[in-house]
Amino acid sequence: MADGQTVTVQSKEGENLLDIAIENDLDIDGFGACEGTLACSTCHLIFEQPIYDQLEEPTDEELDMLDLAFELTDTSRLGCQVCVTKALDGLTVKVPEGVADARDV
């Protein structure tokens, strides 16, 4: 969570991280404002490098949205574009402290 709190949730293989946050009622201010349509950057998450390296490559559309994200890092991804795999079991991600909604630009 943005405040440094750690929350553990269950998920199913194939679910994206935005849907998992919504299904588990995680209270993340502004998270997923476009409901996963790749029209904002509010589901921006930061991964540890070893986990980031296991993810599929981001699309050009995702990279365009990430350019507008708050606290962008080399291991940033949009939660709506990252699907859970068995290799990601035990995954921990960081939620940036602020949200930049690309729809407001």
Side-chain angles (χ1 to χ4, degrees):
M1 307 291 282
D3 62 3
Q5 175 187 8
T6 300
V7 177
T8 302
V9 297
Q10 299 294 315
S11 66
K12 296 179 182 131
E13 191 171 352
E15 287 184 303
N16 71 56
L17 299 181
L18 171 61
D19 289 343
I20 293 166
I22 292 168
E23 290 169 9
N24 287 277
D25 295 320
L26 299 182
D27 186 20
I28 306 171
D29 189 37
F31 197 79
C34 77
E35 300 178 349
T37 60
L38 203 55
C40 73
S41 58
T42 60
C43 64
H44 170 218
L45 298 170
I46 300 170
F47 294 81
E48 294 175 355
Q49 189 69 53
I51 297 295
Y52 182 86
D53 292 342
Q54 295 180 46
L55 304 175
E56 291 185 21
E57 292 290 321
T59 63
D60 289 340
E61 293 84 3
E62 180 181 359
L63 291 172
D64 288 344
M65 286 296 108
L66 281 169
D67 283 341
L68 304 170
F70 184 73
E71 289 186 34
L72 184 65
T73 72
D74 290 340
T75 60
S76 290
R77 291 293 303 271
L78 297 180
C80 65
Q81 300 300 300
V82 177
C83 293
V84 173
T85 64
K86 288 183 183 190
L88 298 180
D89 187 36
L91 165 73
T92 299
V93 298
K94 178 184 177 204
V95 177
E97 291 184 26
V99 172
D101 189 344
R103 298 172 308 160
D104 294 336
V105 176

